[in-house]
């Protein structure tokens, strides 16, 4: 939405990317975060782009992101409108929810404990981390729906 008038933005190009269950990225991000995994840098998993609808919404179907040492659990987000990059940021998850997912789901259960939480992340200060947490609800069909409303200035 436009931050100055809260109107939805139709046609915004929204891109997300995040780590897999092992904490591994694909594509360009692999070179920065998991450079020792050469296969990942040539692949394109857990990345997506959507164009916002008339209500200014986009929807992605993905997995709960894995983590890697030194960073809290996060999803990267980029917004481009009319060819102009207006926002690059990251969104976080509530710590108790991450604990439930990581301890209870077999895809994550064998991993070591996380070493970085929202309040001690290197990108967000403890005070600002709480402003970037997804709203999450469990749907009747058993999946989690994470949402976040973003206001963009200059759109």
């Amino acid at each position: 939405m436009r931050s100055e008038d809260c109107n939805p933005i139709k046609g915004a190009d929204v891109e997300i990317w995040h780590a897999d269950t092992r904490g591994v990225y694909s594509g360009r991000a692999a070179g920065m975060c998991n450079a020792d995994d050469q296969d990942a840098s040539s692949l394109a998993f857990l990345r997506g782009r959507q164009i916002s609808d008339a209500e200014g919404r986009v929807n992605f179907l993905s997995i709960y992101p894995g983590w890697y040492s030194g960073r809290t659990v996060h999803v990267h987000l980029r917004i481009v409108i009319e060819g102009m990059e207006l926002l690059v940021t990251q969104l976080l998850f509530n710590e108790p929810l991450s604990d439930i997912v990581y301890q209870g789901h077999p895809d994550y259960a064998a991993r070591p404990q996380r070493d970085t939480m929202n309040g001690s992340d290197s990108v967000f200060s403890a005070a600002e981390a709480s402003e970037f947490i997804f709203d999450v609800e469990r749907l009747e069909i058993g999946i989690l729906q994470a949402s976040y409303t973003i206001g963009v200035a200059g759109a």
Side-chain angles (χ1 to χ4, degrees):
M1 78 171 71
R2 285 184 180 80
S3 61
E4 58 272 6
D5 61 14
C6 293
N7 285 323
I9 301 172
K10 179 181 178 182
D13 183 345
V14 180
E15 177 183 5
I16 67 164
W17 64 98
H18 62 80
D20 69 5
T21 59
R22 302 168 298 146
V24 173
Y25 283 101
S26 68
R28 295 182 313 234
M32 294 175 8
C33 301
N34 46 271
D36 57 333
D37 191 334
Q38 295 302 314
D39 291 336
S41 62
S42 64
L43 299 172
F45 55 82
L46 300 174
R47 304 177 154 277
R49 292 177 70 190
Q50 297 281 327
I51 304 300
S52 63
D53 64 15
E55 303 297 318
R57 293 186 180 129
V58 294
N59 295 295
F60 297 94
L61 181 61
S62 193
I63 66 166
Y64 203 87
W67 72 94
Y68 52 94
S69 183
R71 287 300 319 276
T72 192
V73 181
H74 61 282
V75 172
H76 294 267
L77 174 80
R78 177 176 177 248
I79 300 176
V80 176
I81 299 173
E82 296 178 0
M84 187 173 10
E85 183 177 84
L86 295 181
L87 178 68
V88 177
T89 192
Q90 299 169 39
L91 299 175
L92 313 175
F93 291 87
N94 177 288
E95 296 293 1
L97 174 62
S98 291
D99 290 341
I100 290 168
V101 171
Y102 295 147
Q103 292 168 7
H105 195 283
D107 289 345
Y108 308 92
R111 303 243 6 245
Q113 292 292 317
R114 295 177 287 144
D115 64 2
T116 307
M117 304 301 170
N118 291 345
S120 60
D121 188 67
S122 61
V123 172
F124 295 95
S125 70
E128 66 186 359
S130 64
E131 298 174 28
F132 291 87
I133 295 177
F134 279 110
D135 292 321
V136 178
E137 70 176 294
R138 184 181 177 133
L139 302 180
E140 287 181 17
I141 57 175
I143 64 172
L144 298 176
Q145 176 176 291
S147 61
Y148 194 88
T149 300
I150 296 174
V152 180

